[in-house]
Amino acid sequence: MVTYGRVRMEDVARQAGVSVATVSKVVNGRYGVSATTTARVADVISELGYEASLGARSLRSTRTGILGVLVAEFEPFSTELLKGVSGAMADTDYELMAFAGATHGETVGWERRSLRRLGGTLLDGAIVVTPTVIEPGAAVPVVAIDPHTGSSDVPTVDSDNVGGARSAVEHLIGLGHTRIGMIRGREDLESARLREQGFRQAMAAAGLEVDETLLATGSYRSESAVAPALLLLDRRDRPTAVFAANDLMAIRTVEVARTLGLQVPADLSVVGFDNIPESALAQPALTTVAQPLREMGRCALDLLLSLLAGEELAQPHVRLDTRLVERASTGPPAPGRL
Amino acid sequence: MVTYGRVRMEDVARQAGVSVATVSKVVNGRYGVSATTTARVADVISELGYEASLGARSLRSTRTGILGVLVAEFEPFSTELLKGVSGAMADTDYELMAFAGATHGETVGWERRSLRRLGGTLLDGAIVVTPTVIEPGAAVPVVAIDPHTGSSDVPTVDSDNVGGARSAVEHLIGLGHTRIGMIRGREDLESARLREQGFRQAMAAAGLEVDETLLATGSYRSESAVAPALLLLDRRDRPTAVFAANDLMAIRTVEVARTLGLQVPADLSVVGFDNIPESALAQPALTTVAQPLREMGRCALDLLLSLLAGEELAQPHVRLDTRLVERASTGPPAPGRL
DNA sequence: GTGAAAGCGCTAACAT
DNA sequence: ATGTTAGCGCTTTCAC
């Protein structure tokens, strides 16, 4: 007969006829409890279905065995990373908790808040995805994925943003585009800065001048692409191609183009960045720069585990390669508009 | 000057020259603190960057403002649901935590464990994804997505599994297949049972006999499809089409087929279930039955919010529609094998 | 080998 | 308006 509801250690203790201290020792496998008592307590524990409250336990003991992935919200980018971390977690002693910190519209500082609320007590370590502020010295080891601009001693994982962006724009140029716009990403993120840099490098290498009025800024969020896309596309001398700093904005740009009566890729080519699974589902399927998102998650976990093991990191900044994935959202510019 | 590291309420109290009780009142917006004191404490809080520890707070107060999504692991199915929940979360007062409970290989009972560890203290309520056991009466309100077989008073969200499966098999039959195999899902889940039922209904409706040796069982996990797929495909009288109970297994089945030298869909048609984003990325793109995963997540949250608001649920079991998505993994059977 | 007692950081009565 | 006090459920000395 299993009893449900909140079962406390005290309930187990009473039923087993021992003190809570003894139950605690059994639960945590400490020495100094007779085999008989251990067995009896274990029996009561499974009979009552007891599990120690994480909140209470975390308050008292330093180690909780839980690692956190701190994200602003659960969207395609962060969940891909999460899949990577989760998959790599199986080989470890840790468990995984993911926390969405920007649910109330905080666009900045959510990860600091999350880190302070969870770090030190609930979490033994954390992976922070696209942090908004530089946070030197948290209460627990931290690794950042797609970090904030500016130097910091936090170990990071990212991908070759410059090279990736360059390959995207080179692809457009190779198709014959010369009038190319860009929708930039969240200004505080290193990745956004680097993707713009790659864009400029590719243009320069091809001897093309960048029309600064063809650059607009979003925040990586889907809705944030609407205004910039309209800005770029709702004008007579619109570009024949747009490089959006991430897939979510690229997909939204295609939708905006459609509302403007533009066909993609006939009237407008669009390239994204990330290769979230949704990019393949988009209509038309999105040409994009693939980041190895799951591998980035795995990598971040490896770094964190090293940190937790007290090891010196050989490579505190890991950068992974990107790869252009050509799908259906890009093509040669319309002859008349070349 | 911001100080990092673990800042406790006591530190704030000392620096502001008040007691911790007063700080607590300020933090929680309780009445009975003068405007001057409130301002001074608030200043110190932001100066020190104080955030209350979730562990400590949850121990004392009943409400934490945090809802949990409890999953076995973060894979495409659960993360889609997570996206749905996360998106709907913005309109609420709650924050979202996701917890992977089966990281140490527990295939059964992980959600009971998670619920006991987190429920009652850390979480105000929880959404449990594909639970393995029936859990009447947890410490907090609970909603299940894709529930366990067997009646239970836990409110649930699922989709039209029977109808979806039927449409998948009807699609195969419509293409001319008569020898159709199935890889079933996790036996303890209602959805697996219902999908098999849909399979049988469609076969019966078409006057086709089900060859029981063409039914094998997986667990919804990708690897679990390898043995069943080999069982079905590595024989002379193999089926010309296979309906896999979910996309992960369907995609793996295509891979197994390929290792056997079979072309999909020329030699073998494969249909999945779920329409996880990965199904569109598969080679060939997978024909599948779409569940409205994000909407299911939203729905589950709605139910949970009603429960938390103490409302009586008009609809404790929500069932959403499915839809067949025809892609490239299905086609007519090879003429010679009809 | 076992239990009593202190305390983790916080909240909530209850005094003052 | 503020502080004192008593826990929340657990772990951890330290007595016995």
Side-chain angles (χ1 to χ4, degrees), chain A residues 71-88:
Chain A
V71 304
E73 56 181 323
F74 294 108
E75 27 69 33
F77 179 79
S78 57
T79 49
E80 279 312 293
L81 295 170
L82 201 50
K83 290 175 197 171
V85 177
S86 185

Side-chain angles (χ1 to χ4, degrees), chain A residues 288-336:
Chain A
T288 188
V289 179
Q291 292 197 78
L293 296 175
R294 296 193 185 198
E295 196 183 336
M296 287 165 71
R298 260 198 306 279
C299 256
L301 179 61
D302 286 344
L303 289 180
L304 186 56
L305 290 172
S306 298
L307 246 36
L308 287 164
E311 296 167 19
E312 194 70 33
L313 295 183
Q315 254 326 117
H317 299 287
V318 177
R319 175 154 296 170
L320 300 175
D321 279 338
T322 56
R323 169 180 61 85
L324 184 72
V325 179
E326 297 183 34
R327 288 199 276 247
S329 67
T330 50

Side-chain angles (χ1 to χ4, degrees), chain A residues 33-281:
Chain A
V33 184
S34 74
T36 338
T37 309
T38 302
R40 185 153 34 91
V41 171
D43 277 356
V44 175
I45 286 177
S46 66
E47 186 188 337
L48 298 182
Y50 172 75
E51 286 290 344
S53 153
L54 221 47
R57 160 175 280 183
S58 72
L59 205 50
R60 202 62 178 92
S61 55
T62 33
R63 203 192 118 103
T64 60
I66 298 178
L67 301 182
V69 173
L70 273 29
V71 304
E73 56 181 323
F74 294 108
E75 27 69 33
F77 179 79
S78 57
T79 49
E80 279 312 293
L81 295 170
L82 201 50
K83 290 175 197 171
V85 177
S86 185
M89 210 80 193
D91 315 319
T92 75
D93 278 341
Y94 291 97
E95 294 183 283
L96 183 53
M97 164 185 298
F99 194 81
T103 36
H104 296 338
E106 305 95 326
T107 49
V108 114
W110 53 265
E111 78 287 338
R112 192 185 346 148
R113 182 155 181 265
S114 298
L115 221 37
R116 285 186 176 145
R117 296 207 295 166
L118 302 168
T121 50
L122 273 177
L123 302 180
D124 289 346
I127 295 170
V128 183
V129 179
T130 57
T132 59
V133 289
I134 315 166
E135 173 83 2
V140 292
V142 169
V143 172
I145 295 182
D146 198 359
H148 192 275
T149 303
S151 68
S152 147
D153 53 356
V154 173
T156 58
V157 175
D158 66 3
S159 70
D160 179 13
N161 285 296
V162 176
R166 208 169 38 212
S167 70
V169 179
E170 281 166 359
H171 165 66
L172 293 173
I173 294 171
L175 286 167
H177 295 275
T178 56
R179 194 158 172 73
I180 304 173
M182 171 170 184
I183 299 182
R184 303 182 187 100
R186 230 179 68 192
E187 298 192 75
D188 60 316
L189 291 183
E190 185 76 359
S191 61
R193 211 175 54 73
L194 295 174
R195 288 172 201 179
E196 176 175 356
Q197 194 177 313
F199 169 82
R200 291 184 185 278
Q201 282 184 12
M203 294 293 276
L208 293 172
E209 198 148 337
V210 172
D211 179 344
E212 298 294 334
T213 71
L214 258 38
L215 298 210
T217 307
S219 74
Y220 278 152
R221 302 197 72 202
S222 177
E223 320 82 71
S224 80
V226 176
L230 283 172
L231 196 70
L232 297 190
L233 301 179
D234 196 13
R235 48 190 268 186
R236 179 154 302 130
D237 61 342
R238 60 180 161 73
T240 60
V242 168
F243 168 48
N246 76 342
D247 286 350
L248 247 24
M249 296 199 298
I251 292 168
R252 194 58 169 259
T253 298
V254 171
E255 289 169 16
V256 169
R258 192 169 299 133
T259 66
L260 256 29
L262 301 175
Q263 299 288 324
V264 174
D267 301 319
L268 179 78
S269 286
V270 177
V271 192
F273 204 109
D274 282 350
N275 195 33
I276 54 175
E278 280 76 356
S279 65
L281 282 163

Side-chain angles (χ1 to χ4, degrees), chain A residues 1-9 11-12 15 41-53, chain B residues 109 112-117 135:
Chain A
M1 166 63 198
V2 178
T3 310
Y4 296 102
R6 185 117 287 282
V7 180
R8 291 150 309 145
M9 193 173 267
D11 302 322
V12 176
Q15 180 145 349
V41 171
D43 277 356
V44 175
I45 286 177
S46 66
E47 186 188 337
L48 298 182
Y50 172 75
E51 286 290 344
S53 153
Chain B
R112 189 183 351 149
R113 180 153 185 267
S114 297
L115 220 38
R116 286 186 175 145
R117 297 207 296 165
E135 174 83 5

